[in-house]
Structures are given as structure tokens and as C-alpha cells.
Amino acid sequence: MGTVNRLNRDDIVNGKAGKRPGNPKGGVIHNDYGAMTPQQYTPWLITRKNNGQLNLGFAPYYINSSAILRADNTNNKAWHTANNEGNAWYLGYEVVQSYYGIISDKEFIKNEDMTLRQVAEDFHYYGLKPNRDTIRLHSQFSSTSCPHRSWDLHGKSINAVKDYFITKVAKYMSLGKTVEEMLKNEGVSDPVATVPNAVTPQPDGKTVKVGKQATHWETGSTIPKFVIGQVYDVLASMPVSKSRSKKAYLIGKGKVATGWLLEQDVDGFKAAGGGNTNKATPTTKPAITGTTTETQSIAGVQMFLNRWFYGGLIVDNLAGSATNKALIKALQMELNSQFNAGLKVDGLWGAKTKNACITVREGANGNLTRLIKAALICKGYDVKGFDGKFGDGLDKAVKKFQSAKALKVDGLVGQGTFEALFK
Ligand SMILES: [Zn+2]
């Protein structure tokens, strides 16, 4: 009773990021946006180290409901926040398997709970008290949606999510000095790792090329054009029964997931036995921002940016430089998350951001469309509703804007129109 699988592997990172200048000031909670278990992170980290790639990021801890991987001594710095203060002074905790479709919310919370027990243990060890200064989110140190799933589950604001963590860590600290002691006092029997939905994480070097025939992810949302023809790592797979596919692959780069690809959309796919040629009929899943209620106004845009893209704006209904900068940041984040564009999220318009923009046209539905609308609203255009749908109203507004800017009037939002809208 009360045991957790401890993978004590300080030898993996072995102080690569240097010693901390003093005792840690607190802990940063991450969600990995991936599929792997702590056991699978072990060879993955070793490969990263052998390839000299630890500078791409690592945390000392990778935790799920049954296993705790410690990849370095906690007295060493870790490259986990893309920020010197965060890396030097804060412990980093990855709650793993956080990408949607890997495990249920219930399972995810079990992973998160085990992580918070480890935070409680370390806080005892370093004499730290859980509060809003010591418990931090990755998004407080750099522009990121991390911890994305904890964010969605625990109130969608920095303080709401932190307060949830603080309460839990305080409770665990009252139950014991070590994770094992806490589990024992909680009466938790040996935790069992569960990977529901028959998902099999596969950090094994297998890759797939996305075929020209691909149009929709397994979840029903549109596959961005940029993804077509690219080679991705297979992070996980699961059995499905959709159209001609018996299998779906979670594809991504490194550990970060991009989406669930049906096997029929892999380059060169041939259905077993010829099969039928029915087109995929993906279920429709509304885009994350499609149901929000911000109104068509500059204030609505500011609330939208604050809510979804860490805008940090004062809602004054005035389109000034701060709002413009927050809009560029949101566009950079969106291009990074949809297309792995690898942009620095700095709110500055430059050639890299421009070149990463895709062409968005009537019929599109999602965050890029919403950001185009946001930019037009700030410039005083009527887009006929501030949602994620690129319909007739937006087409007209884009054409009007293009005409005013002496751009080609085609209703297509390509790199030139993006630049005129955001720069
Ligand atoms: Zn993070």
C-alpha cells in the first residue's frame, strides 16, 4: 500500500544546466502537450542528451499517476521555463500525457495529483510554503499555453489555477513528508498506470508523412495546409473505426503533439483488401474559441486576447499599441501551436512572422479567422460577428480593407494582407 514507481535518474541530466544559485524559491507546474509516460521519457531524455539537445528543454520531473521520473538533482538548474529566473530559481514539474485524446480528464487529474504530491514533498524538504509566489505556472515566465489542460480544468485564470494547486499542495503537505507517506495516510492503494482509450504511446522513432489526400484530423477539425507533405514523429496510436481507417496516429515533433491523423491520410496509404472509398466523415468538434461570447468591439477583442492568449490588456475599448502587440503575440502563438512555426512570441512584426502566415479564405473556421476578425474590428471594420467562422460578412470586410490598402482585392488573407492587418 502507498507506493509509487520512483525512477530516480539524476544521471540523465547530471547537472547539465549548472547549479542553482541557492535554494529554490518555488515550483513551476507544466503540462507536457504530449503522450509519453515517465518510463518512456527516460530513453527520450537520454537520446536528447546524447544528441546534445537538452537545451531544447527539460524538467527535472516527469510525473503520472503511478510513476515519478526525476531526471536531475533538484539543486541543479533546469531549462524548463525559457526564462533565466524561472530556470535558476524554480523547480519544474511536467504533468505528462496531457495532450487531449490520450487520457480522460479524470485520469489527467490523477497525474496532476501525483505531481502535486511531489511538489508537497519538495516544499517540505526546502521549507517552502505553498502560496501565489511559490506556486507558479509556466505561462507566468514565458508566452505559452502551458499548462494548457490544468488551465482548462481549473478556472482559466492564473490565480484560479494557482489557488487550486495551492490548496492541494497544502493538503498533501499536511498528510506527510514524502509522497509515500501522503499516499499511505490518504489510504490510496498502490496507484496503477492507466492508458485508457487503448492509446499506445510510441516514442520509438517511427515517423509518418502526411499524404496529399488528408483533409481532417481524427477529431474532425481541419488539417492545416502546412502540415500536408510533412514528416512527423508518431507519438502514440489508437485503434479507430472511421471510414477506411482502423488506426489513428498522434503525430508531432519532439514530444509536442500536433494532432491525431487517420491512417488513411498517411502518404501512400492503401486500405486492407481494397475496401470502400467512402470519404472520411469526421465528427464536427467546435473550435475552442468558437463558443466564446466576446462581442464585436475593441473591448471584446481585448477580453478575447486576455482570456485565450495571455493578453494582459486593460479593457478600455481603445485600439492602441498594447492591443496591437497582444494581437501579434496571439498570431505568433497560434502559428506556433497549429504549424510548429517556431516563432519567438514577442509581439513584434517581422519577416519570420510574415512568412509563417498561411492563406486563410472563406469557409475557414478557427482561431486564425478569429484573429483576422479581431484585427479588422480594431481597424473599425464590421465583420458581422466576432466568431471563428470565415463567412460572407468577413469576405466583404476583407475586400473592403484590401481595397482601402491598395492590395489585390480577392478576399484571401495571405501574407500581404496579414501584414497590412497586423503590422
Ligand atoms: Zn511548460
Side-chain angles (χ1 to χ4, degrees):
M1 187 128 141
T3 62
V4 60
N5 190 358
R6 293 268 191 184
L7 309 161
N8 290 324
R9 292 297 307 268
D10 289 2
D11 59 294
I12 296 177
V13 176
N14 201 21
K16 190 88 181 120
K19 269 217 139 344
R20 281 190 201 291
N23 277 352
K25 294 179 183 172
V28 177
I29 314 295
H30 300 270
N31 289 177
D32 72 342
Y33 216 74
M36 288 189 278
T37 62
Q39 286 84 349
Q40 289 164 325
Y41 268 106
T42 306
W44 181 85
L45 278 165
I46 292 169
T47 305
R48 239 187 192 195
K49 181 195 184 174
N50 292 343
N51 293 340
Q53 291 179 321
L54 280 178
N55 60 333
L56 295 177
F58 72 90
Y61 286 109
Y62 295 81
I63 300 175
N64 73 1
S65 60
S66 67
I68 299 172
L69 166 62
R70 195 174 94 168
D72 200 5
N73 189 294
T74 54
N75 289 321
N76 293 324
K77 294 184 192 176
W79 292 317
H80 66 111
T81 61
N83 171 285
N84 289 334
E85 160 89 3
N87 294 348
W89 291 102
Y90 290 83
L91 296 159
Y93 301 85
E94 289 278 1
V95 186
V96 303
Q97 302 166 298
S98 73
Y99 192 76
Y100 285 106
I102 307 299
I103 54 174
S104 67
D105 285 345
K106 209 175 143 195
E107 300 294 340
F108 174 76
I109 286 175
K110 284 189 194 170
N111 290 0
E112 196 186 65
D113 281 345
M114 192 59 81
T115 306
L116 297 173
R117 288 186 191 99
Q118 182 62 53
V119 174
E121 176 179 308
D122 293 340
F123 271 39
H124 269 306
Y125 181 83
Y126 286 109
L128 291 163
K129 290 201 174 14
N131 57 47
R132 287 181 180 178
D133 296 324
T134 56
I135 299 281
R136 307 292 287 269
L137 308 183
H138 185 179
S139 53
Q140 292 186 275
F141 290 97
S142 47
S143 288
T144 168
S145 61
C146 177
H148 71 111
R149 197 159 177 183
S150 299
W151 181 269
D152 289 347
L153 287 167
H154 308 310
K156 295 179 178 172
S157 82
I158 286 177
N159 283 340
V161 178
K162 290 209 296 190
D163 289 349
Y164 172 88
F165 289 155
I166 291 163
T167 306
K168 283 236 161 172
V169 171
K171 188 191 93 181
Y172 291 133
M173 286 181 79
S174 76
L175 287 167
K177 293 239 187 265
T178 64
V179 172
E180 288 77 2
E181 225 177 277
M182 295 167 210
L183 289 169
K184 194 167 163 238
N185 289 330
E186 282 175 78
V188 174
S189 48
D190 292 349
V192 182
T194 43
V195 183
N197 307 331
V199 172
T200 316
Q202 306 184 294
D204 60 358
K206 187 181 158 77
T207 59
V208 290
K209 185 174 175 184
V210 181
K212 285 197 196 77
Q213 72 276 24
T215 57
H216 290 83
W217 297 114
E218 188 272 338
T219 52
S221 53
T222 308
I223 297 178
K225 278 210 169 136
F226 181 88
V227 169
I228 312 294
Q230 299 278 318
V231 176
Y232 287 90
D233 300 317
V234 175
L235 309 181
S237 67
M238 66 176 169
V240 295
S241 187
K242 260 187 191 165
S243 183
R244 292 179 295 145
S245 297
K246 295 273 165 267
K247 217 174 183 185
Y249 301 107
L250 181 65
I251 63 169
K253 306 256 186 193
K255 74 176 174 69
V256 177
T258 302
W260 283 100
L261 186 75
L262 289 169
E263 64 174 340
Q264 70 200 50
D265 293 327
V266 173
D267 188 46
F269 170 78
K270 297 224 176 21
N276 68 59
T277 51
N278 287 342
K279 254 190 106 204
T281 46
T283 53
T284 45
K285 195 173 165 189
I288 187 164
T289 55
T291 54
T292 53
T293 52
E294 294 90 1
T295 56
Q296 181 180 315
S297 64
I298 296 166
V301 168
Q302 290 169 328
M303 282 189 266
F304 166 74
L305 292 171
N306 287 350
R307 181 169 174 190
W308 297 101
F309 295 99
Y310 313 108
L313 296 167
I314 296 162
V315 179
D316 57 7
N317 205 30
L318 297 171
S321 62
T323 302
N324 189 51
K325 199 168 175 187
L327 263 174
I328 297 171
K329 274 190 179 180
L331 179 65
Q332 289 166 330
M333 279 186 236
E334 197 57 32
L335 291 168
N336 285 348
S337 91
Q338 282 198 43
F339 309 118
N340 286 322
L343 297 170
K344 189 174 170 196
V345 180
D346 56 9
L348 302 174
W349 187 267
K352 279 186 184 154
T353 303
K354 182 179 177 180
N355 290 335
C357 289
I358 59 154
T359 299
V360 184
R361 65 188 74 210
E362 193 163 359
N365 187 2
N367 285 349
L368 282 177
T369 302
R370 206 139 191 239
L371 289 170
I372 291 164
K373 287 191 171 183
L376 281 165
I377 291 165
C378 289
K379 294 187 185 304
Y381 287 80
D382 179 5
V383 296
K384 304 289 175 199
F386 183 30
D387 55 17
K389 291 192 192 103
F390 199 137
D392 208 39
L394 179 57
D395 183 63
K396 286 200 175 82
V398 168
K399 283 177 177 160
K400 211 170 148 188
F401 174 75
Q402 288 172 326
S403 169
K405 292 280 168 187
L407 293 160
K408 189 178 170 194
V409 182
D410 54 9
L412 303 178
V413 183
Q415 293 178 351
T417 303
F418 264 111
E419 181 161 71
L421 277 169
F422 285 81
K423 192 176 176 177

